[in-house]
Amino acid sequence: MAPLHRTAVFLWSILLIASFVVAQRDPEHTVTYFSNLPARLFFFQDTTSIIYHDAMKGNVWVSDDEGRGWNQASGIPDGKAAMVIEHPFDNKYAFVLTKSTTHYRTDDRGKTWRSFEMPLQVAYVGMPLSFHSDPKKYGYILYQGTKCVPTGIFGSICYDETWYTKDAFSSDAELLLSETSRCQFAHSSKDFKHDAHQDLIYCVGFDSISSDGMHSLSSSRLFSSTDFFKTEQRVEDLGIGKNARGVVAFAIVSKFAVVAMRDLAAGNSGEMLLYVTVDTKLWAKGQFPHASSAKLRENSYTIVESTTHSLAVDVLLQEKSAIGTLFVSNSNGTFFIESLKDTNRNSMGYVDYENLYGVEGVGLANVVMNAKEVEAGREAKKLQSRITFDDGRTWSRLRPPSVDIEGKRIACNPSDNDCSLHLHSVTDSHNFGLVFSSPAPGFVMGVGSIGEHLLPYEECDTFLSTDAGVTWAMVRQDAHQYEFGDSGSILVAIDNEHSTDEVRYSTDLGKTWDKYNIGVSLRSRVLTTIPDSTSQKFILLGQVSKRDQKANDGPVAVVFLDFAKTRSRQCGDSDFEDWHARSSSHECLMGHKQIYRRRKPDANCYVGKKFIDPIAQYEDCPCTDEDYECDYNFVLQGKECVAAGPEPIPAGVCSSEDAKQTYMGSSGYRRIPGNTCDREKGKKKDALVEKPCSNAQPQEGEIIHQISEFPAVVQQYTYFKNSRTILVRLSDHTIWQSSNEGYIWQQVLPGERFVAFYMHAYSHDRAYLVTESTKYYYTTDTGKNWFPLDAPLPPNGFGLAVLHFHPGQSDYLLWSGQRDCVAFGRTCHVEAFYTIDNGRKWYEIDTYVRNCAWARDSELRVDPNQILCESYQNKAGNQRFFQNDNPLELIGGTDFYNKRTKLFNHVVGFAKFSEFLIVAEYQAEKHSLDLQVSLDGRTFATGLFPPTMRLEQHAYTILESSTKSVFLHVTVSEPPDPWWGNILKSNSNGTYFGVSADYVNRNANGYVDFEKMIGLDGIALINVIGNPHTAPLSGIKEIQTRITHNDGGTWKPLSPPMKDSHGNTYSCSKTSCALHVHGFTERFDTRATYSTPSVPGLLMAVGNVGEKLAPYTESDTFLSRDGGFTWEEVHKDAHLWEFGDSGSVLVMANDEEPTDHVMFSIDEGLNWREYRFADEKVRVKSIVTVPEDTSRRFILFGFYPRSPDGAVAIHLDFSALTRRQCVLDMKDPAHDDFELWSPSEGRSEACLFGRKTLYHRRRRDANCVVGDQEKQAEKITEHCQCTAVDFECEFNHRRDAEGNCVLEPGTTPLPNDDSCRGDDEFWYERTAYRKVPISTCEGGKRLDQGPAHRCPGLKGHGFFFWLFILAIPSGIAALVGYWFYHNSGLARGTIRLPGPDSNRRYRTDSGTLATLASVPWFLIGLVGIGWEWVSSRFDSASTRFRSRSGYRHVPADEDAQILRFEDEE
């Protein structure tokens, strides 16, 4: 090139650079000062207008230029603004609510404000307004207010009402519904898409009117209406009918409507239930895995940010340490799976979990790495961050950058798991809005550290990811607040650890940073921009220190930052590139890829598309297995969807004439709703398949069966509770599973050899398959998936339980394995281990042990981390050969056995029953046993027995403890004599034992002929030896049956029926003739029972009428419908039986010989029909159905006589006998299918257990299906006067021949108990009787009370003493409370439900507890009022309350002092 040309080019370049410098100037800023930080700071959507609410001064400020200039809202008086709420669906409207009935509205984004009047003050809830999402109905708004009605000089009753307007309060509002806690439009979320009526409204309210402003929780319902409750008011039954009571909250989350409801079933301890709908029509209960540890409790679960694919719920599992577990649902929000354990929460319920904005399936969460130590109180939380790219199915660590901001290598190896990036999250947020992401696609920032766990905020640095969390770079040293602008083309950050007058900004995605001085030194509090991050203007809020404040300037500085002039060129199309969201390993989610156009990192230009959200492009992927889920009527079994039963098909598709006919039915799969995968290019798993008509649901009235053969003998089988899935273990060490009640079977994990399986005792969808090695498998979803883990040792071969379970924590397990036991190892012994994470990590408990268990039981409420171990004193040698010279000590170890205490020097064993911990202590000097009883696992009392009943060298069997007493069988006759013993019954705390029945039969295995009736406490059957004097000589026991209807107080023979099943009279007609039935000791299947939990009063048994029990093969089958008072013979010969569908189907199979048919009855034994299931006869060994006896499907287990080494399972389905659902109508009980039955029907005694009780059960002649509908609780009509049947013999007493309680010869009665408790006016001398603990009789003839003596002390004082002691001080306290309450301006009258959208107005259903706790609640009430005032002062934007527990009064047992307890309350 010529020199002249080169000079011209050089000059032109200088001019270009100069013009570029002129064009790209520094940012601009303005500063405005305020008195207080804002309670709310928000932009009107897609506008430059912003609202600043100073809650401390009650003022509102408005800016219409993104914060450059500010003006106080015109039209709103000073100090009146208590709350500001923007309209979420119309960006022109906002509302200022005050503490009076005058409120203000703007319809021009804050430029002008006009007042409107409401009849009530606003309710103090987080969101008192609810809006309609249809832009055409912008004026449809619901308003929640509080109404107070004076009730005298000092008080008032307050409750909430909901009002509505259709024109945004331009005209007077109208009353919607009174006594509500939350109302919301069904159309109030753009994601909740359905075709319901446009005016559908849901309200949580009460179905009763209260006279005092308080309601029982059982009266809280979910109501709905489509005409603003003018003429229509429906009660949403949530798919469970009249039991949809106890509704606590309603919310719409993403595409789901969710109802939180307290489970009010009898015996429930406060669990919450979630009901979900996606279409407003069908509601379904949210099913959570391992329910014992995932129990939803009020204040202990959080519905976190959810996607349109699934609902996410975090459940608090570690109450002491705010540690939870995250669950995610299927597409309709009904079935949840465990997604992430040990999630970090705070005390307010906020969870470290956030989905990345705009990028489907990607989310960040924090977990507690040292959950065990935190729960034990030994360490503070150490947090680690996790990321998911597939909607929570899997989680991985955040891989850190390899270099820091200066380019130096980090201190650890990024490939190591303990070298990860960890970020501060929601629970430690330092800014408004989202923590990590923004609408700028793929850009993620966070403050964190690199290492094993997260460091404190002040020790952290600032990191950036531009690919949605796949890779990270350190972009600033120290912790900074950050914000994205101009669709991610500009990043702004400010030091968040110190006061500063500089901000940093980057236009090249954090590669380089420029600084800008804002002219004021402040401590940053908020850095934000318009919500869609498309603007180049930002707002910085900070606090100015006193030394830096200027005269007349407030302590809060609002800095408006404008970066528009830092770049002169707007980006063109060539400056953009396609960016594929998500990692390469998870490109496809819900059947498509997600692609955004965004600016290239090195393009020096601004995007400039203000208020235009980035639009994702979608590219459908070929369908894969992940795009399908199980179709209706199919369930997941392993990795396959199998039929839950015969498939429903349209009428006429299959005809019964053609046995080979087929139909086109479901493959078992369907595409997940909303999934867009391309079926033509991928798998077509939902294509219809041809099936034989035998697979279809039969016509009404038909019965079907399915026969499956197994290659070996069945050794173990169990259903998952509340499930249709059953496991079977065979003698060839294989395990088989059926998820449809035996219709189809699949082998579980072929190739493995299993020695046992265990169902989790408390978490009913968990099970464990134990192999011969250290490997075991577990499921948390009733066998849908099995996962392998390793135990510390192989399972023990000592016949001891391998696994023990914790009643409150599903992941807490104990494992008993064996060491050095190959052949006859010289040091073969058992070692015990525990885990708190379901076996991921094990910790040794003790060596040379026999039995270790958690001390806590479902009703034994002791230290949850205490472990009890039977541990040998000398830990050497082969444990198999240990004798009595090596004592078995009982060790109690708290803090997971780290703090050990020897409880007893020598024990035979221990057992936990109900609320009792019972230990058999061996007394070496006396060669006898002492029974030690505890209610707290630490302090024990010796059980006192009649002198004739010392446990010298005798075995004992603890029978049951469900009626506040312990039943104990003590063996008094043993070989060479026949086995039998006496049944002893304790007082209510297990310390005094008296004889209940003599000569009770037992067998060599320790099993006893004793069985309580299920569902009716206090009724039990036993078999006794009728010839105790001749049996030792003859070796033959003559068995007779006895029954008790007062919990062992008295025992009587069974009344025989007058005629047999053929109508003939029995040959035995003497008064000594009775019905005798075969008991527990003779059963092949020890789980078979006389009674069923689903039908109160119904029993079946095999026996005979005579003077003694006949052999089993000479017996017949009997039934009772009234709790054993009367009996009828239903069939000749001995039969196995099973109850189905709450007694609507009874099934029997011959138990004397092989058979090819079953007998069934649909009227509880009045009529029997035969169903033939096979051409070849089968020896049936057991009949099985679901444990709740609520199904019409049964399984017969047995074998063909030709093949006794195999097994056969016959699935019987009676579901099509009738399809009519039973109707229960509480308002018209005379015309429904149920009856109210009382155990006293047909008897002279009108009362049982001191009360008249009615039970709902299906009428005998009602041919209908009960199914899974909720049962009505028992109804106590009245408490009866006490009679002789309400009493049993006191300690050292027994009944004589006339039935009277008399003192045992040579014994002395217990001393009198002269202590007075509570409001006792008298104490009474002991008698020969004590009241049966289960009886609730009142008054009448009190056989347990001797002469009365007046109690000393306070009861002797008169009226004036009580006036001065109680009335006057209480009156002063009440006046003080009233003055404080009213003069603080806080008289709002109700205790609020936790959370922003609901309030509490419930009282306990126990008047006694409420009265006992009245004074403590009065004190707490004052504290609560003060806290509410503080909250309204400092957090008025969103008031959040947590309910606190009241004082508890636990009445002491009559003999509690013997247990040496001290009240720890």
Side-chain angles (χ1 to χ4, degrees):
M1 183 181 291
L4 180 61
H5 294 157
R6 286 198 295 271
T7 304
V9 171
F10 176 71
L11 292 172
W12 179 243
S13 300
I14 292 176
L15 290 173
L16 274 177
I17 294 172
S19 64
F20 183 77
V21 171
V22 170
Q24 295 192 338
R25 296 182 298 183
D26 284 342
E28 297 178 347
H29 77 278
T30 60
V31 182
T32 307
Y33 293 94
F34 290 88
S35 300
N36 302 291
L37 286 168
R40 291 290 318 278
L41 180 72
F42 65 87
F43 283 88
F44 288 91
Q45 188 69 31
D46 289 341
T47 74
T48 60
S49 298
I50 186 171
I51 294 291
Y52 185 114
H53 178 211
D54 182 348
M56 297 295 287
K57 285 196 170 184
N59 292 328
V60 173
W61 296 78
V62 183
S63 171
D64 59 5
D65 53 8
E66 297 183 67
R68 185 188 298 271
W70 294 89
N71 296 295
Q72 188 170 345
S74 61
I76 303 175
D78 274 356
K80 295 296 184 181
M83 188 180 296
V84 185
I85 301 174
E86 72 274 28
H87 197 305
F89 308 110
D90 191 316
N91 65 4
K92 299 186 296 296
Y93 282 82
F95 303 86
V96 167
L97 305 180
T98 71
K99 294 182 180 180
S100 69
T101 57
T102 301
H103 309 297
Y104 301 87
R105 185 197 79 184
T106 179
D107 54 13
D108 54 10
R109 304 186 183 110
K111 293 179 182 176
T112 60
W113 297 80
R114 289 185 289 176
S115 65
F116 63 92
E117 293 290 330
M118 291 299 294
L120 303 178
Q121 292 183 10
V122 67
Y124 280 84
V125 294
M127 186 55 68
L129 300 183
S130 176
F131 301 87
H132 202 291
S133 61
D134 187 348
K136 297 178 182 178
K137 297 194 173 187
Y138 68 91
Y140 281 43
I141 304 172
L142 306 180
Y143 172 98
Q144 187 173 341
T146 299
K147 183 174 184 177
C148 291
V149 180
T151 58
I153 299 176
F154 298 114
S156 61
I157 297 173
C158 295
Y159 55 88
D160 283 1
E161 291 183 344
T162 301
W163 293 66
Y164 73 93
T165 175
K166 295 183 178 181
D167 53 14
F169 304 106
S170 293
S171 60
D172 290 343
E174 298 183 50
L175 178 64
L176 180 76
L177 199 61
S178 186
E179 304 220 27
T180 58
S181 62
R182 173 66 174 162
C183 289
Q184 189 169 354
F185 288 104
H187 294 271
S188 60
S189 168
K190 293 180 179 178
D191 290 327
F192 186 42
K193 298 174 182 177
H194 49 83
D195 57 1
H197 193 285
Q198 282 293 307
D199 293 341
L200 176 62
I201 296 173
Y202 290 109
C203 282
V204 178
F206 305 96
D207 61 5
S208 61
I209 298 175
S210 172
S211 61
D212 60 0
M214 300 293 289
H215 287 271
S216 170
L217 182 57
S218 61
S219 68
S220 178
R221 309 289 291 267
L222 181 67
F223 299 96
S224 65
S225 175
T226 57
D227 66 354
F228 295 90
F229 292 93
K230 290 181 178 177
T231 61
E232 180 192 38
Q233 178 174 317
R234 296 192 310 271
V235 176
E236 294 289 334
D237 65 7
L238 307 181
I240 57 173
K242 300 181 184 298
N243 293 297
R245 299 177 177 273
V247 175
V248 174
F250 170 83
I252 293 176
V253 182
S254 185
K255 72 170 185 178
F256 309 95
V258 183
V259 169
M261 190 177 81
R262 179 77 63 81
D263 189 349
L264 299 179
N268 193 279
S269 57
E271 289 89 344
M272 301 292 288
L273 306 176
L274 287 187
Y275 285 84
V276 183
T277 182
V278 294
D279 60 7
T280 75
K281 296 180 179 64
L282 296 176
W283 292 85
K285 180 182 175 182
Q287 302 285 348
F288 284 79
H290 50 89
S292 76
S293 66
K295 287 180 179 176
L296 299 181
R297 298 185 182 277
E298 198 174 351
N299 298 332
S300 67
Y301 72 94
T302 303
I303 299 178
V304 298
E305 185 184 7
S306 301
T307 69
T308 55
H309 313 142
S310 63
L311 191 63
V313 177
D314 190 84
V315 181
L316 177 68
L317 300 187
Q318 307 287 1
E319 296 183 14
K320 298 179 182 178
S321 49
I323 300 173
T325 294
L326 181 68
F327 298 88
V328 294
S329 76
N330 60 347
S331 63
N332 62 7
T334 53
F335 290 96
F336 288 79
I337 61 171
E338 182 181 296
S339 175
L340 187 63
K341 282 189 63 64
D342 297 332
T343 50
N344 184 50
R345 303 164 56 97
N346 64 15
S347 59
M348 298 296 292
Y350 291 103
V351 181
D352 278 350
Y353 174 84
E354 180 178 301
N355 289 317
L356 296 195
Y357 187 97
V359 184
E360 293 179 340
V362 183
L364 287 162
N366 280 347
V367 297
V368 182
M369 65 170 287
N370 59 333
K372 174 193 168 187
E373 288 75 15
V374 173
E375 174 67 7
R378 293 192 292 265
E379 294 182 6
K381 286 182 179 179
K382 296 178 181 178
L383 304 184
Q384 296 178 330
S385 293
R386 297 287 185 266
I387 190 167
T388 179
F389 297 100
D390 55 8
D391 232 2
R393 292 194 189 101
T394 60
W395 293 82
S396 57
R397 69 188 184 96
L398 274 64
R399 188 180 176 91
S402 58
V403 296
D404 63 16
I405 193 172
E406 297 176 351
K408 299 177 182 177
R409 293 196 63 82
I410 62 174
C412 56
N413 184 354
S415 299
D416 295 340
N417 286 332
D418 57 359
C419 181
S420 301
L421 175 62
H422 311 287
L423 303 173
H424 286 271
S425 185
V426 175
T427 60
D428 191 25
S429 178
H430 284 69
N431 204 355
F432 275 11
L434 296 172
V435 177
F436 302 114
S437 59
S438 79
F443 295 118
V444 191
M445 289 188 76
V447 172
S449 62
I450 298 172
E452 185 184 20
H453 60 85
L454 182 63
L455 296 178
Y457 188 82
E458 295 75 15
E459 300 177 30
C460 290
D461 302 306
T462 306
F463 296 83
L464 168 71
S465 173
T466 59
D467 52 12
V470 178
T471 61
W472 294 82
M474 184 189 297
V475 292
R476 298 298 307 162
Q477 277 189 333
D478 299 330
H480 282 63
Q481 284 183 330
Y482 46 84
E483 187 56 275
F484 305 85
D486 193 37
S487 303
S489 74
I490 185 166
L491 310 180
V492 180
I494 184 170
D495 189 333
N496 195 216
E497 297 183 20
H498 318 92
S499 292
T500 182
D501 59 0
E502 291 181 340
V503 295
R504 304 280 178 157
Y505 66 97
S506 172
T507 58
D508 55 6
L509 303 187
K511 294 178 182 177
T512 62
W513 291 82
D514 295 309
K515 64 181 178 180
Y516 176 68
N517 192 292
I518 56 176
V520 57
S521 181
L522 52 76
R523 180 70 185 271
S524 175
R525 296 302 182 194
V526 176
L527 177 61
T528 188
T529 184
I530 63 175
D532 59 12
S533 293
T534 58
S535 173
Q536 299 186 71
K537 300 175 176 63
F538 298 77
I539 294 177
L540 170 64
L541 272 74
Q543 287 183 291
V544 182
S545 64
K546 289 186 177 180
R547 69 173 181 270
D548 293 327
Q549 284 184 32
K550 299 178 182 178
N552 301 321
D553 287 343
V556 177
V558 176
V559 183
F560 166 79
L561 295 167
D562 186 356
F563 293 88
K565 295 182 179 179
T566 58
R567 293 164 296 172
S568 59
R569 183 175 69 87
Q570 186 170 5
C571 299
D573 187 63
S574 62
D575 295 307
F576 291 89
E577 63 182 0
D578 285 343
W579 176 72
H580 289 254
R582 296 190 294 271
S583 71
S584 58
S585 60
H586 298 89
E587 269 193 313
C588 294
L589 186 69
M590 290 297 287
H592 54 253
K593 298 177 182 178
Q594 195 177 16
I595 306 167
Y596 284 101
R597 291 282 290 174
R598 68 181 193 183
R599 198 199 68 162
K600 295 177 180 176
D602 57 352
N604 190 10
C605 58
Y606 66 91
V607 176
K609 296 181 179 179
K610 200 167 187 176
F611 304 130
I612 300 176
D613 293 338
I615 299 175
Q617 303 295 320
Y618 297 100
E619 180 182 315
D620 289 342
C621 305
C623 290
T624 66
D625 290 340
E626 287 188 349
D627 299 308
Y628 294 92
E629 64 184 8
C630 291
D631 202 355
Y632 294 110
N633 204 48
F634 288 80
V635 294
L636 189 65
Q637 182 170 300
K639 295 183 179 180
E640 301 294 325
C641 292
V642 300
E647 185 175 359
I649 59 173
V653 172
C654 287
S655 61
S656 57
E657 293 80 12
D658 186 0
K660 297 182 179 179
Q661 190 176 4
T662 62
Y663 70 98
M664 298 303 291
S666 170
S667 66
Y669 297 89
R670 65 169 183 167
R671 263 197 307 179
I672 297 172
N675 191 293
T676 63
C677 72
D678 189 336
R679 295 176 70 253
E680 300 304 320
K681 295 181 181 179
K683 293 186 176 181
K684 300 179 181 179
K685 295 185 70 171
D686 57 349
L688 298 178
V689 296
E690 188 176 12
K691 300 180 179 181
C693 281
S694 59
N695 287 8
Q697 192 176 75
Q699 299 295 317
E700 186 164 3
E702 294 183 4
I703 303 168
I704 62 172
H705 70 272
Q706 184 96 343
I707 298 178
S708 303
E709 293 189 45
F710 293 120
V713 176
V714 173
Q715 290 192 328
Q716 183 184 5
Y717 60 84
T718 307
Y719 267 100
F720 287 91
K721 194 173 181 181
N722 301 318
S723 169
R724 307 296 185 191
T725 300
I726 184 173
L727 296 179
V728 169
R729 180 173 60 87
L730 305 182
S731 59
D732 63 0
H733 300 285
T734 62
I735 288 182
W736 296 75
Q737 174 179 320
S738 172
S739 297
N740 44 29
E741 300 175 79
Y743 185 67
I744 298 173
W745 294 89
Q746 288 184 338
Q747 185 177 352
V748 180
L749 301 165
E752 290 283 4
R753 286 175 57 84
F754 297 101
V755 296
F757 70 78
Y758 288 81
M759 313 301 285
H760 199 297
Y762 307 99
S763 193
H764 302 310
D765 35 19
R766 288 192 174 199
Y768 300 81
L769 313 182
V770 180
T771 72
E772 296 172 313
S773 67
T774 58
K775 181 182 288 186
Y776 69 94
Y777 294 84
Y778 73 93
T779 179
T780 60
D781 53 13
T782 64
K784 295 181 179 68
N785 297 282
W786 294 95
F787 305 100
L789 279 175
D790 287 318
L793 289 174
N796 74 80
F798 287 65
L800 308 174
V802 177
L803 281 167
H804 286 276
F805 305 100
H806 195 287
Q809 300 291 343
S810 298
D811 283 348
Y812 285 21
L813 309 176
L814 299 184
W815 178 277
S816 295
Q818 64 182 23
R819 188 183 296 278
D820 302 333
C821 292
V822 178
F824 290 94
R826 298 175 63 182
T827 59
C828 172
H829 63 277
V830 177
E831 295 185 7
F833 298 81
Y834 78 91
T835 176
I836 63 170
D837 56 11
N838 203 38
R840 293 171 180 84
K841 189 174 182 180
W842 292 92
Y843 305 88
E844 184 179 280
I845 300 173
D846 204 349
T847 63
Y848 283 90
V849 298
R850 191 177 70 176
N851 178 33
C852 289
W854 299 103
R856 192 159 208 176
D857 206 16
S858 55
E859 295 183 44
L860 182 62
R861 311 300 289 177
V862 301
D863 184 347
N865 299 333
Q866 183 180 2
I867 298 172
L868 297 174
C869 275
E870 300 167 7
S871 179
Y872 285 101
Q873 186 181 81
N874 302 318
K875 300 183 182 298
N878 191 319
Q879 184 174 325
R880 295 184 187 276
F881 306 117
F882 285 175
Q883 300 294 326
N884 238 12
D885 57 348
N886 189 358
L888 196 62
E889 301 173 335
L890 183 63
I891 308 297
T894 58
D895 189 19
F896 301 103
Y897 215 69
N898 287 315
K899 302 173 182 176
R900 307 181 189 186
T901 302
K902 184 194 296 184
L903 301 176
F904 296 99
N905 292 318
H906 197 167
V907 299
V908 174
F910 71 90
K912 297 177 295 178
F913 279 81
S914 188
E915 68 269 36
F916 301 100
L917 172 61
I918 301 173
V919 178
E921 182 185 21
Y922 181 68
Q923 300 290 352
E925 305 82 16
K926 297 181 288 184
H927 300 287
S928 65
L929 298 178
D930 272 349
L931 211 64
Q932 302 286 345
V933 184
S934 175
L935 297 177
D936 67 351
R938 299 188 307 273
T939 52
F940 289 81
T942 302
L944 299 182
F945 295 87
T948 57
M949 287 297 302
R950 291 299 304 171
L951 303 184
E952 296 176 4
Q953 299 297 336
H954 292 310
Y956 71 91
T957 302
I958 299 173
L959 300 174
E960 193 169 351
S961 167
S962 62
T963 54
K964 301 180 181 179
S965 299
V966 176
F967 279 87
L968 182 75
H969 182 275
V970 179
T971 301
V972 297
S973 175
E974 53 194 4
D977 296 336
W979 291 102
W980 74 69
N982 295 343
I983 288 181
L984 307 182
K985 183 189 176 187
S986 78
N987 63 338
S988 59
N989 62 16
T991 53
Y992 295 145
F993 286 82
V995 177
S996 176
D998 297 312
Y999 312 121
V1000 180
N1001 185 48
R1002 63 155 283 188
N1003 64 14
N1005 295 323
Y1007 294 121
V1008 180
D1009 278 342
F1010 171 94
E1011 184 175 322
K1012 285 200 169 189
M1013 184 175 181
I1014 304 172
L1016 286 179
D1017 286 336
I1019 300 178
L1021 287 91
I1022 60 173
N1023 280 342
V1024 300
I1025 311 302
N1027 61 331
H1029 303 297
T1030 61
L1033 302 176
S1034 64
I1036 298 174
K1037 295 188 285 189
E1038 296 180 0
I1039 305 296
Q1040 299 174 339
T1041 300
R1042 300 286 186 265
I1043 191 169
T1044 179
H1045 287 96
N1046 63 348
D1047 206 37
T1050 55
W1051 298 87
K1052 299 178 181 178
L1054 295 180
S1055 299
M1058 298 300 296
K1059 296 184 178 181
D1060 66 9
S1061 56
H1062 293 164
N1064 302 318
T1065 57
Y1066 290 98
S1067 58
C1068 183
S1069 57
K1070 297 185 294 185
T1071 56
S1072 59
C1073 294
L1075 173 63
H1076 307 287
V1077 298
H1078 292 270
F1080 191 81
T1081 59
E1082 298 182 70
R1083 289 183 189 149
F1084 170 77
D1085 183 358
T1086 56
R1087 289 168 296 186
T1089 56
Y1090 294 131
S1091 55
T1092 169
S1094 61
V1095 189
L1098 187 64
L1099 298 99
M1100 289 188 72
V1102 171
N1104 63 282
V1105 174
E1107 296 186 31
K1108 62 182 179 181
L1109 184 64
Y1112 189 79
T1113 54
E1114 300 175 18
S1115 300
D1116 304 311
T1117 306
F1118 294 82
L1119 179 145
S1120 172
R1121 296 187 72 249
D1122 57 5
F1125 286 102
T1126 62
W1127 293 81
E1128 57 190 275
E1129 183 185 297
V1130 293
H1131 211 281
K1132 290 296 182 182
D1133 299 331
H1135 285 73
L1136 300 171
W1137 68 88
E1138 188 54 273
F1139 309 91
D1141 188 37
S1142 300
S1144 73
V1145 178
L1146 305 183
V1147 176
M1148 296 193 307
N1150 192 298
D1151 194 27
E1152 296 184 7
E1153 59 186 7
T1155 183
D1156 58 2
H1157 67 275
V1158 294
M1159 306 295 297
F1160 70 94
S1161 172
I1162 58 174
D1163 54 15
E1164 296 181 10
L1166 281 178
N1167 299 284
W1168 293 88
R1169 293 158 58 188
E1170 180 179 305
Y1171 176 72
R1172 190 164 178 264
F1173 56 75
D1175 295 327
E1176 183 179 0
K1177 290 187 176 183
V1178 174
R1179 181 64 174 98
V1180 178
K1181 300 300 292 181
S1182 58
I1183 308 177
V1184 184
T1185 186
V1186 297
E1188 301 78 28
D1189 293 345
T1190 55
S1191 173
R1192 287 189 158 216
R1193 295 169 180 159
F1194 303 82
I1195 305 173
L1196 309 181
F1197 284 116
F1199 60 89
Y1200 292 117
R1202 59 173 167 80
S1203 180
D1205 293 333
V1208 61
I1210 302 167
H1211 168 86
L1212 297 175
D1213 190 349
F1214 295 86
S1215 301
L1217 275 178
T1218 180
R1219 295 197 173 102
R1220 187 177 76 83
Q1221 187 72 34
C1222 294
V1223 175
L1224 174 63
D1225 190 342
M1226 301 294 291
K1227 296 181 180 178
D1228 188 15
H1231 296 91
D1232 68 4
D1233 295 306
F1234 291 83
E1235 64 182 0
L1236 276 173
W1237 170 78
S1238 169
S1240 62
E1241 277 187 15
R1243 299 187 297 112
S1244 57
E1245 301 94 343
C1247 300
L1248 188 63
F1249 322 130
R1251 53 190 178 270
K1252 295 179 181 178
T1253 310
L1254 299 176
Y1255 298 85
H1256 276 91
R1257 65 181 189 183
R1258 186 191 66 101
R1259 286 188 290 106
R1260 195 171 192 176
D1261 59 351
N1263 185 19
C1264 58
V1265 179
V1266 179
D1268 292 326
Q1269 65 177 294
E1270 295 283 344
K1271 307 299 188 296
Q1272 292 294 314
E1274 62 187 56
K1275 180 180 179 182
I1276 298 176
T1277 57
E1278 67 175 280
H1279 292 280
C1280 308
Q1281 288 193 338
C1282 297
T1283 63
V1285 296
D1286 295 301
F1287 300 92
E1288 59 192 7
C1289 293
E1290 182 56 279
F1291 181 68
N1292 277 347
H1293 294 72
R1294 68 163 59 214
R1295 294 191 184 271
D1296 60 13
E1298 287 74 34
N1300 298 317
C1301 291
V1302 296
L1303 188 66
E1304 285 266 20
T1307 66
T1308 57
L1310 290 174
N1312 289 320
D1313 177 10
D1314 60 359
S1315 60
C1316 293
R1317 300 176 180 85
D1319 294 328
D1320 289 350
E1321 191 168 353
F1322 299 95
W1323 66 270
Y1324 299 89
E1325 294 182 14
R1326 291 188 192 268
T1327 69
Y1329 298 86
R1330 66 186 179 199
K1331 190 177 173 186
V1332 176
I1334 194 177
S1335 174
T1336 59
C1337 69
E1338 299 172 347
K1341 189 176 181 181
R1342 293 299 300 263
L1343 299 180
D1344 60 331
Q1345 293 181 353
H1349 300 270
R1350 182 173 293 277
C1351 287
L1354 296 177
K1355 284 289 182 178
H1357 293 285
F1359 168 76
F1360 287 103
F1361 172 84
W1362 290 111
L1363 175 65
F1364 280 94
I1365 292 299
L1366 291 181
I1368 293 178
S1370 296
I1372 294 173
L1375 289 173
V1376 171
Y1378 178 83
W1379 180 89
F1380 177 84
Y1381 179 67
H1382 281 272
N1383 286 277
S1384 61
L1386 304 170
R1388 297 196 282 277
T1390 59
I1391 300 173
R1392 305 292 174 184
L1393 275 174
D1397 298 328
S1398 53
N1399 61 354
R1400 181 187 301 278
R1401 202 174 305 111
Y1402 310 127
R1403 59 169 168 243
T1404 174
D1405 291 326
S1406 169
T1408 305
L1409 278 178
T1411 303
L1412 291 170
S1414 60
V1415 174
W1417 271 114
F1418 172 73
L1419 299 175
I1420 289 176
L1422 294 180
V1423 175
I1425 292 168
W1427 165 243
E1428 193 169 343
W1429 176 74
V1430 172
S1431 297
S1432 66
R1433 292 280 293 179
F1434 295 102
D1435 192 18
S1436 63
S1438 179
T1439 309
R1440 306 178 183 92
F1441 307 116
R1442 289 180 61 84
S1443 62
R1444 64 181 74 211
S1445 300
Y1447 287 73
R1448 292 182 297 150
H1449 177 86
V1450 183
D1453 181 81
E1454 56 185 339
D1455 302 309
Q1457 69 271 20
I1458 296 173
L1459 294 183
R1460 304 185 297 276
F1461 284 171
E1462 294 182 4
D1463 187 3
E1464 297 180 355
E1465 291 288 314

